[in-house]
Amino acid sequence: MLPTIEWRGDRVVMIDQRRLPGEEIYVECRDAESVARAIETMIIRGAPAIGVAAAYGLALGFLMVPDRGRAAAEFAAVSDRLRRTRPTARNLFWALERMKAVFESHQGLPLAELQSRLVREAQDIEREDADICERIGRNGAALIKDGDSVLTHCNAGGLATAAYGTAVGIIRAAFERGTKFRVFADETRPFLQGARLTAWELEKLGVPYAVITDNMAGWLMHKGEISLAVVGADRIARNGDVANKIGTYSAAVLAKENGLPFYVAAPLSTFDFSLADGGGIPIEERPAAEVREIAGRLITPAGAKVRNPAFDVTPARYITAIITEKGIARPPYEASLGALR
Ligand code: MRU
């Protein structure tokens, strides 16, 4: 349904997520550098979608390699450039590692065949991600019951993945089953992924929803107006600690205080089994302008000092369950995630 990203033979086309919901504009990337910039500037964002974009960026960059002699050096240079775009999303590194494995195991192929093989791998990553999201949706749909009010944070929908979404995938699957519920979408300052993107998706899907500012969620929980929360993830450590959009931690603590289930939905490509806990997850700091401005308009004194960590880490003890394409993991996560892996 949602055209997040598309391969067109010699270029990648993606919907410009900075312009939604006001304008549905598509951006064409004809080289790896423009894909890298699209990721950095959030034309495309959301961990799985970043992974797909990076794979296409690498395939695109490699299409420009002039001769076999330069192949290995060019592949490494393009991959390094893409790795430096956004540090928190595990899927970015996972996708580049997968492309590298294909590159290394097909070294003997003529250049043109190796180039096509890498394009096919990126297409597989995209197709698989859409399929995985539908599985996550099916696995999690029954967690939402008739009469529930579901809080979600940021955008973990079709726009953040190849298609369908993770947290929004669960919402969508429950809706498609006929469950009667509504959604509260946190606006998600500073980039407003909830107000702009999740609301846009829910509107298109016909799911009843209301946008709230981030600071309203706690009060609505306290008043009994929220039944559960479901969010996505950018990186998950072995013990179940979850890095996700800034504000996720606050929502999870408030959910626990109010006795509400707090679910995380993510594909296995978001897990970083090399990390024992969330302490080692790199947290991206984004430009100050994102906090100083709303829609390009200054809302603070021009020189105001700001902080802009784009993600936080929610300790596993606040998380009721993690829904993956292989099933639902519950605490203790070291064991349950290990089994799913
Ligand atoms: O900064 P963003 O918009 O890339 O952050 C996105 C999120 O935090 C999502 O919740 C996460 O990537 C999961 S998307 C399925």
Side-chain angles (χ1 to χ4, degrees):
M1 173 195 95
L2 298 166
T4 311
I5 182 163
E6 208 173 274
W7 176 257
R8 298 251 176 97
D10 60 347
R11 67 211 133 105
V12 190
V13 179
M14 41 187 105
I15 191 162
D16 189 342
Q17 300 196 25
R18 301 166 310 177
R19 311 282 281 269
L20 290 170
E23 296 168 294
E24 293 183 25
I25 288 175
Y26 291 82
V27 171
E28 286 195 353
C29 298
R30 291 177 177 272
D31 54 37
E33 180 56 29
S34 28
V35 174
R37 287 211 202 104
I39 297 171
E40 280 165 351
T41 59
M42 315 263 277
I43 288 173
I44 191 160
R45 30 67 49 202
I50 291 170
V52 174
Y56 277 135
L58 187 47
L60 196 53
F62 196 69
L63 279 184
M64 318 219 166
V65 171
D67 59 73
R68 201 74 187 68
R70 301 248 295 276
E74 291 282 333
F75 185 89
V78 175
S79 181
D80 277 359
R81 171 68 186 99
L82 289 159
R83 283 176 79 87
R84 281 185 275 107
T85 51
R86 296 199 70 194
T88 308
R90 170 65 195 144
N91 305 63
L92 168 69
F93 305 94
W94 170 87
L96 294 173
E97 281 155 22
R98 185 164 152 174
M99 295 291 281
K100 185 176 176 205
V102 169
F103 175 77
E104 284 174 351
S105 58
H106 292 81
Q107 289 269 18
L109 288 179
L111 182 59
E113 280 177 45
L114 182 53
Q115 287 167 325
S116 317
R117 181 66 192 80
L118 287 168
V119 169
R120 280 210 309 282
E121 192 65 17
Q123 288 174 313
D124 284 350
I125 290 174
E126 183 196 341
R127 268 195 295 270
E128 286 168 25
D129 186 60
D131 177 59
I132 283 168
C133 285
E134 289 199 29
R135 284 169 202 266
I136 292 173
R138 279 201 293 277
N139 290 343
L143 298 170
I144 301 177
K145 309 271 190 296
D146 279 331
D148 277 349
S149 287
V150 181
L151 178 74
T152 190
H153 189 68
C154 192
N155 170 263
L159 289 165
T161 59
Y164 208 81
T166 56
V168 174
I170 289 175
I171 287 168
R172 180 171 172 178
F175 184 69
E176 284 165 357
R177 282 183 185 188
T179 311
K180 303 271 179 277
F181 63 99
R182 65 182 172 155
V183 175
F184 283 115
D186 274 348
E187 72 169 348
T188 319
R189 273 283 287 151
F191 210 71
L192 306 176
Q193 290 95 329
R196 298 187 303 104
L197 308 176
T198 300
W200 184 73
E201 289 194 26
L202 295 176
E203 186 92 36
K204 284 198 180 251
L205 293 168
V207 177
Y209 74 93
V211 175
I212 56 172
T213 62
D214 301 338
N215 49 1
M216 294 173 187
W219 177 241
L220 293 184
M221 287 181 188
H222 180 70
K223 297 245 298 163
E225 290 189 41
I226 290 174
S227 333
L228 65 127
V230 58
V231 301
D234 265 70
R235 197 185 286 234
I236 303 177
R238 266 204 318 267
N239 72 339
D241 289 354
V242 169
N244 190 48
K245 180 51 55 195
I246 192 78
T248 302
Y249 169 68
S250 317
V253 173
L254 285 164
K256 193 171 186 91
E257 168 68 18
N258 288 282
L260 303 175
F262 192 89
Y263 298 114
V264 172
L268 289 174
S269 50
T270 300
F271 289 77
D272 188 343
F273 289 102
S274 75
L275 295 177
D277 58 48
I281 299 178
I283 299 294
E284 176 184 12
E285 284 271 344
R286 294 208 39 100
E290 288 179 1
V291 174
R292 289 197 195 117
E293 299 169 8
I294 293 184
R297 189 157 169 218
L298 197 62
I299 56 157
T300 64
K305 290 200 173 48
V306 301
R307 282 290 313 277
N308 190 10
F311 300 96
D312 55 30
V313 177
T314 300
R317 66 178 178 279
Y318 293 107
I319 298 163
T320 311
I322 303 177
I323 300 99
T324 75
E325 69 271 32
K326 292 239 180 109
I328 300 183
R330 293 186 185 268
Y333 290 113
E334 191 93 38
S336 58
L337 293 176
L340 289 184
R341 183 186 181 189

